[in-house]
Amino acid sequence: MPLRFDAHISTAETDYGTVLLDERAGTYWELNPTATLVVRTLLDGGEETDAAAALVREFDIDRAQAQQDVEVLVGHLREAGLAS
C-alpha cells in the first residue's frame, strides 16, 4: 500500500536523509538515506515490495531482509501517527 503522511507532517530532505516534523506535537524524526529511499518510493505510489526492491538494488542486501526492513519502518511511521 502506498504511504501518505498525515496533513500535520512536514518533510524536508537534507544531505543526510529526510526530516519529518510533526507540527501538532512539535517533534521531529530524522530518516537516514535508507529510510529516505523507502519513504520516497512509497510516497511516489510504490508498494512495499517496490521499496524493498529499491533497497536491494541500491544497497545490495538480501531481499528478505529488505522486505523486513520496509515493513518495520512503515509500521513505526504508522504507530507514531505520522502516516496512513
Side-chain angles (χ1 to χ4, degrees):
M1 167 189 304
L3 187 75
R4 288 188 195 97
F5 284 120
D6 292 339
H8 59 87
I9 304 301
S10 296
T11 64
E13 291 201 23
T14 69
D15 291 339
Y16 307 104
T18 300
V19 174
L20 307 177
L21 171 64
D22 181 340
E23 295 173 9
R24 281 189 320 200
T27 56
Y28 72 94
W29 288 262
E30 186 172 352
L31 304 179
N32 65 21
T34 305
T36 295
L37 177 60
V38 170
V39 166
R40 189 176 306 133
T41 301
L42 296 173
L43 289 175
D44 287 345
E47 301 290 331
E48 289 184 14
T49 54
D50 300 320
L55 289 178
V56 169
R57 282 190 308 274
E58 184 70 24
F59 299 105
D60 192 31
I61 63 171
D62 178 70
R63 179 173 276 287
Q65 182 63 56
Q67 187 66 42
Q68 181 180 1
D69 291 348
V70 169
E71 291 169 4
V72 167
L73 174 62
V74 170
H76 286 313
L77 292 172
R78 288 188 172 134
E79 286 172 17
L82 302 174
S84 54

